[in-house]
Amino acid sequence: QVQLVESGGGLVQPGGSLRLSCAASGSVVSIYAMVWYRQAPGKQRDLVASITKGGTTHYADSVKGRFTISRDNAKNTMYLQMNMLKPEDTAVYYCKAEEPHGSTWGQGTQVTVSS
């Protein structure tokens, strides 16, 4: 019902910035929250940030003050602005749409922070 496509990942130096995008299509009216997760090699997938239909945001302590989650309802797209990036931010980043019926995952986009 809902399809998600992530983009914006890449290689960036420590202290740099990236903006990730997650474009939703299909039954977007059913989405009540969208979430960014990340998974580094050998580690579990952890929540990074979330935004509800009402605009409430949540951030993991590790990214608070550096990352900003936002949405553009007209474009059915959410964004993750990542500033002051650190090597430990290196991971595959996934977006997820929460619906009453369940959830839908995007395919993931690689973010690598390295000198």
Side-chain angles (χ1 to χ4, degrees), residues 17-49:
S17 299
L18 284 174
R19 188 179 75 161
L20 306 183
S21 299
C22 178
S25 61
S27 301
V28 296
V29 68
S30 65
I31 300 173
Y32 63 82
M34 296 192 73
V35 189
W36 285 103
Y37 287 80
R38 67 185 181 186
Q39 187 168 23
K43 295 187 176 181
Q44 69 179 45
R45 189 172 298 184
D46 292 327
L47 186 147
V48 177

Side-chain angles (χ1 to χ4, degrees), residues 101-114:
H101 180 71
S103 60
T104 300
W105 291 89
Q107 84 285 353
T109 185
Q110 176 72 48
V111 172
T112 302
V113 185
S114 176

Side-chain angles (χ1 to χ4, degrees), residues 84-95:
M84 298 177 286
L85 283 162
K86 305 175 181 179
E88 51 262 45
D89 295 319
T90 296
V92 177
Y93 284 70
Y94 300 89
C95 64

Side-chain angles (χ1 to χ4, degrees), residues 33-107:
M34 296 192 73
V35 189
W36 285 103
Y37 287 80
R38 67 185 181 186
Q39 187 168 23
K43 295 187 176 181
Q44 69 179 45
R45 189 172 298 184
D46 292 327
L47 186 147
V48 177
S50 65
I51 185 167
T52 69
K53 186 176 181 179
T56 301
T57 59
H58 168 79
Y59 298 93
D61 288 341
S62 59
V63 307
K64 194 171 297 182
R66 300 187 297 121
F67 291 11
T68 303
I69 190 170
S70 62
R71 68 186 182 201
D72 186 334
N73 290 334
K75 296 181 178 180
N76 293 320
T77 301
M78 77 161 174
Y79 305 93
L80 186 67
Q81 179 65 47
M82 305 184 295
N83 299 323
M84 298 177 286
L85 283 162
K86 305 175 181 179
E88 51 262 45
D89 295 319
T90 296
V92 177
Y93 284 70
Y94 300 89
C95 64
K96 182 177 74 171
E98 298 283 0
E99 306 166 75
H101 180 71
S103 60
T104 300
W105 291 89
Q107 84 285 353

